[in-house]
Amino acid sequence: MKRDKKLLNYRHITYIIFAALLAALFFIGAIEGRGRGSASQSLFAMDTYMEVTAYGADSEAAVEAAVAEIRRIDALLSTGSAVSEVAALNRRKTGALSEDTAYLLQRSLELAEDTDGAFDITVYPLVKAWGFAGGGFRVPSDAELSQLLQSVDSSALAYEEGSAWLELPESVEIDFGGIAKGYTSERVSRLMKEYGIQSAILNLGGNVQAVGAKTDKSAWRVAIQNPDKEKPYLGILSVKDQAVITSGGYERYFEEGGIVYHHIIDPHTGKPAQKGLCSVTVVSGDGTYADGLSTALYVLGREKAVEYWRMHKADFDFVFLDEGGMLWVSEGIEADFSSEFAYETIR
Ligand code: ADP
Ligand code: MG
């Protein structure tokens, strides 16, 4: 009897120690979890769905700040809002630029020069004429297009760098739609770092920015959409601290008389770019560049795009899908790209 009682006591103590150990483990876990917490928010901005996810101690505050930053840039650049800085410039034809807009203007002018005008922010009157801004899809006549083309030339913009003063000729209107999301991802990425975030992923309407690596230090895996949504992804890219930005004619388009008209306009013809590419993905540490370039390379077509890449290999890599269904991948990301489809590596 006495022995039994003792045994019971011993068992009790074991239980208590076990419970205490569990509680301690739980407590340590909770602290660890707080240190490595995560936060995520979805929002609709710049005409698209966006998602921001961050990991780390300050993730909640970082995501909050990221969303505010996205909304701030959207309000600044939106051509659709009468009160945005860009809308005011288009209306008044003159004004001082904010820091963001001045930076974007300079990057846009550089890119226009670098790509022989394939990327051109003065394409906006054409974007409107086709109904890709303001609504009302339509096919403008050739006469209307040649009339509008006269005001498409960003090298004619008068920009005073010192005072950040811009003057637009009467018929000229600008739009940063081809570069704004990449710029936003660059800004938000910097913001995340300021919050001490070493791991975050931003998806701005299919334009992805990886901040650092995943929490286990492995690379982020970013899928590239197949224009044919019934089919598997074009491929998966493994990236750290890079933007993966895609331009595709399949993203915004309308059909008339059996012909598809999409939203990437060739500034030389005034019509939707048709140089044989369906999808252009640019991978770069510079999000602004990646976005502007994905639009420009789509306009240039594969041969000229490859030519351009050969002169800027250190700055970016690409994945192209052409109309024949061929995939082309630049050598710099060969090891980071996997696909169910056959592809050719460009060197
Ligand atoms: P998305 O906005 O779908 O991610 P893009 O980055 O390619 O795609 O940008 C397309 C947008 O850029 C168009 O909706 C239009 O506002 C603008 N745009 C169209 N053609 C050009 C061009 N050649 N150069 C600069 N901007 C353009
Ligand atoms: Mg773009």
Side-chain angles (χ1 to χ4, degrees), residues 39-226:
S40 189
Q41 272 195 52
S42 311
L43 68 152
F44 190 83
M46 302 182 180
D47 270 336
T48 190
Y49 282 98
M50 302 188 168
E51 195 170 4
V52 181
T53 305
Y55 299 85
D58 245 350
S59 52
E60 201 87 43
V63 168
E64 225 29 85
V67 168
E69 179 68 352
I70 292 169
R71 298 226 184 272
R72 184 187 70 83
I73 299 172
D74 192 13
L76 209 59
L77 304 179
S78 165
T79 46
S81 139
V83 295
S84 78
E85 183 177 331
V86 169
L89 273 169
N90 284 337
R91 211 167 43 238
R92 297 192 194 120
K93 306 294 171 198
T94 178
L97 304 186
S98 65
E99 217 176 289
D100 299 87
T101 313
Y103 174 77
L104 270 176
L105 180 80
Q106 273 173 317
R107 296 297 306 265
S108 299
L109 294 180
E110 266 167 40
L111 200 57
E113 203 180 300
D114 232 24
T115 62
D116 293 323
F119 183 86
D120 196 318
I121 52 169
T122 63
V123 86
Y124 190 54
L126 288 164
V127 173
K128 280 202 296 188
W130 286 93
F132 291 113
F137 294 139
R138 57 188 270 275
V139 180
S141 70
D142 284 349
E144 185 181 353
L145 291 180
S146 55
Q147 167 72 30
L148 291 171
L149 275 169
Q150 289 175 19
S151 51
V152 176
D153 179 11
S154 62
S155 68
L157 298 183
Y159 180 61
E160 192 68 52
E161 211 180 313
S163 57
W165 193 266
L166 179 69
E167 305 258 354
L168 302 178
E170 189 47 41
S171 55
V172 172
E173 290 185 73
I174 59 170
D175 166 28
F176 294 109
I179 200 167
K181 278 178 265 173
Y183 172 65
T184 306
S185 67
E186 185 185 320
R187 292 287 311 196
V188 171
S189 174
R190 206 177 311 156
L191 199 63
M192 290 286 171
K193 299 260 159 91
E194 281 166 26
Y195 275 83
I197 302 292
Q198 281 165 31
S199 178
I201 191 91
L202 323 171
N203 186 345
L204 313 184
N207 295 326
V208 176
Q209 170 79 50
V211 181
K214 291 205 285 193
T215 49
D216 65 3
K217 307 274 189 270
S218 67
W220 291 103
R221 290 163 57 77
V222 180
I224 304 175
Q225 195 188 316
N226 194 324

Side-chain angles (χ1 to χ4, degrees), residues 117-121 123-124 127 132 175-179 181 205 207 245-248 251-252 263-267 291-292 294-295 299:
F119 183 86
D120 196 318
I121 52 169
V123 86
Y124 190 54
V127 173
F132 291 113
D175 166 28
F176 294 109
I179 200 167
K181 278 178 265 173
N207 295 326
I245 296 193
T246 300
S247 281
E251 284 174 27
R252 285 193 75 202
H263 70 142
I264 302 170
I265 308 294
D266 184 336
D291 193 1
S294 69
T295 307
V299 171

Side-chain angles (χ1 to χ4, degrees), residues 13 73 238 274 309:
I13 292 164
I73 299 172
S238 296
Q274 234 161 359
W309 172 74

